[in-house]
Amino acid sequence: YQALTAFTTGHSNVVIGYQTGDAITTSAYNTLIGNGAGGAMTGGDGQNVVIGRNAGDSATTAMVKCVYIGNDAGGQMDAGGNNTAVGFASMEGASTGNDAANNVAVGYQSAIAITDGDNNVVIGSQAGLALTTGNQNVIVGKGAGYGVTTQDELVLIGQQAGYGINNDDSDGSVFIGWDSGYSNTSGIGNLGIGYETFKNSTNGDYN
């Protein structure tokens, strides 16, 4: 009902659901499934796959070649291309003006707050939960990088690895293992590999 209500010259789209793709006019090669999915899309190059209630709901003409699967996945991503987000509210984004690109996020609320961060890989339930503008991070594991916001080039692998990092001094840190670097907030140039390595260190440097 009310799907593709504004449609004019677009083509090769599959649209299923209440008010799904209701603003599309000229966009093409999109697959939109779920109530309100792709609700703000109009034109542009398209080629998006958006599945779930309100998934990709704020996307406009600037969303290209994205895959958003899960209720609210990519919901506030009004721009940005080549993103893949799978899971409830994965890469949902915050408010408006979000143009993050070339990201992969998989898991419940993974990278939910992202706005302009690019080239990140975030996998795990609530992994990278606070990530906003950070770039080129690899965050894998439940709750890994939970507090990361603007930091770049982190490698955090393991449940709650790098959980407390929230200062750009920590750019480039590597923590691998369960709770590795858990309490680290602003330590510079650290490498920790193994169960609970650097768990209680907050700002130690070059270890």
Side-chain angles (χ1 to χ4, degrees):
Y1 176 72
Q2 292 184 332
L4 289 178
T5 53
F7 197 69
T8 56
T9 60
H11 61 89
S12 306
N13 296 291
V14 175
V15 180
I16 301 172
Y18 173 65
Q19 293 185 339
T20 303
D22 57 336
I24 288 179
T25 55
T26 61
S27 191
Y29 300 109
N30 298 291
T31 300
L32 311 177
I33 301 174
N35 291 357
M41 288 178 60
T42 55
D45 291 338
Q47 303 181 64
N48 300 290
V49 176
V50 180
I51 301 174
R53 180 182 58 82
N54 293 330
D57 184 48
S58 296
T60 60
T61 58
M63 185 178 79
V64 179
K65 298 177 183 176
C66 289
V67 176
Y68 295 133
I69 300 176
N71 288 356
D72 296 323
Q76 300 295 327
M77 297 303 301
D78 44 4
N82 306 315
N83 293 307
T84 299
V86 180
F88 176 81
S90 178
M91 275 194 73
E92 181 177 15
S95 187
T96 59
N98 307 307
D99 62 359
N102 304 309
N103 297 288
V104 175
V106 179
Y108 170 76
Q109 293 185 337
S110 54
I112 187 176
I114 197 166
T115 56
D116 303 320
D118 301 329
N119 305 308
N120 297 290
V121 176
V122 181
I123 300 174
S125 176
Q126 295 189 326
L129 187 79
L131 180 67
T132 54
T133 61
N135 302 299
Q136 300 175 2
N137 297 293
V138 176
I139 302 174
V140 180
K142 182 180 184 296
Y146 190 92
V148 170
T149 55
T150 62
Q151 292 68 54
D152 303 322
E153 300 171 348
L154 298 166
V155 177
L156 309 173
I157 300 176
Q159 182 166 314
Q160 299 182 144
Y163 185 91
I165 291 176
N166 62 5
N167 189 294
D168 290 347
D169 285 346
S170 292
D171 285 1
S173 294
V174 177
F175 293 115
I176 300 175
W178 192 86
D179 272 2
S180 179
Y182 180 91
S183 299
N184 187 281
T185 56
S186 58
I188 302 170
N190 291 301
L191 167 63
I193 300 176
Y195 173 78
E196 293 187 342
T197 53
F198 291 101
K199 180 177 180 179
N200 296 312
S201 174
T202 58
N203 57 6
D205 301 331
Y206 305 112
N207 296 290

